[in-house]
Amino acid sequence: MVKKRQILVIGHNTSGCTPEHEKIAYDVGMEVAKSGSVLICGGLGGVMTAAAHGAKDGNGLTVGIIPQNDPAMANEFCDVVIPTGMGLARDFLNALSADGVIIIGGGSGTLSETTAAYMYKKPMVAIRNLGGSVEKFIDGFIDQRENVKIVGVDTPKEAVEKILELIAA
């Protein structure tokens, strides 16, 4: 049996998440499902809920890796809930569980997950012009090590196509 691709979608939690972020995240989730990949997210609100919702509506499998120890804290669109009880340290689990990462806006939590993925050289794409903590790194690197470039894209479909291309490379 061949392992399914696992794509982590990260971005704004409830705070800072706009209707535009939610629509884009939903569409990314739908595209992840269409690709036959598993959608991984932080399992909470905002971009995480919208992406998982889109993946569910696309008949995909969703995994929420939550910082709490109570699985009931996860959003209703998570098929598999992994309650870590680790707080923000779970950002490393999210990054390490992914074959590739799609970034949709986001604040400091998103930046934490991005840097974890960067340290482990995970392929990453970010949707441009959504603001957030990662915006200034799009089409570049986080630091002088140049571990992995954060590739900028403009649409949800392009995000999934590009991350699949980067994963296969």
Side-chain angles (χ1 to χ4, degrees):
M1 183 173 144
V2 177
K3 177 185 130 357
K4 287 187 167 238
R5 288 175 306 246
Q6 298 177 180
I7 299 175
L8 175 64
V9 177
I10 61 176
H12 287 293
N13 197 343
T14 308
S15 174
C17 189
T18 68
E20 179 185 19
H21 294 124
E22 288 176 347
K23 170 73 170 113
I24 289 169
Y26 179 90
D27 291 346
V28 164
M30 180 68 77
E31 292 295 328
V32 168
K34 284 185 197 174
S35 79
S37 303
V38 176
L39 183 130
I40 299 174
C41 67
L44 301 176
V47 162
M48 297 170 276
T49 297
H53 188 180
K56 286 302 297 171
D57 283 355
N59 297 313
L61 178 64
T62 61
V63 177
I65 304 174
I66 64 172
Q68 298 88 351
N69 62 358
D70 179 0
M73 300 296 292
N75 73 61
E76 68 268 29
F77 302 106
C78 294
D79 293 312
V80 177
V81 176
I82 302 171
T84 66
M86 299 175 68
L88 299 177
R90 76 78 153 89
D91 292 352
F92 279 84
L93 292 178
N94 290 0
L96 287 169
S97 296
D99 296 312
V101 181
I102 297 175
I103 306 162
I104 303 168
S108 61
T110 302
L111 183 59
S112 173
E113 286 172 302
T114 301
T115 56
Y118 183 82
M119 294 301 293
Y120 288 97
K121 300 178 182 176
K122 299 289 182 169
M124 289 187 275
V125 301
I127 297 181
R128 293 184 185 100
N129 302 314
L130 294 178
S133 58
V134 179
E135 185 79 29
K136 66 182 175 182
F137 301 114
I138 294 176
D139 293 320
F141 303 93
I142 291 177
D143 67 14
Q144 76 286 350
R145 287 175 278 202
E146 298 186 358
N147 284 348
V148 63
K149 186 176 189 176
I150 299 173
V151 178
V153 296
D154 297 310
T155 68
K157 186 173 177 62
E158 187 183 354
V160 175
E161 288 172 352
K162 182 51 111 174
I163 202 64
L164 292 175
E165 176 187 314
L166 293 171
I167 289 168

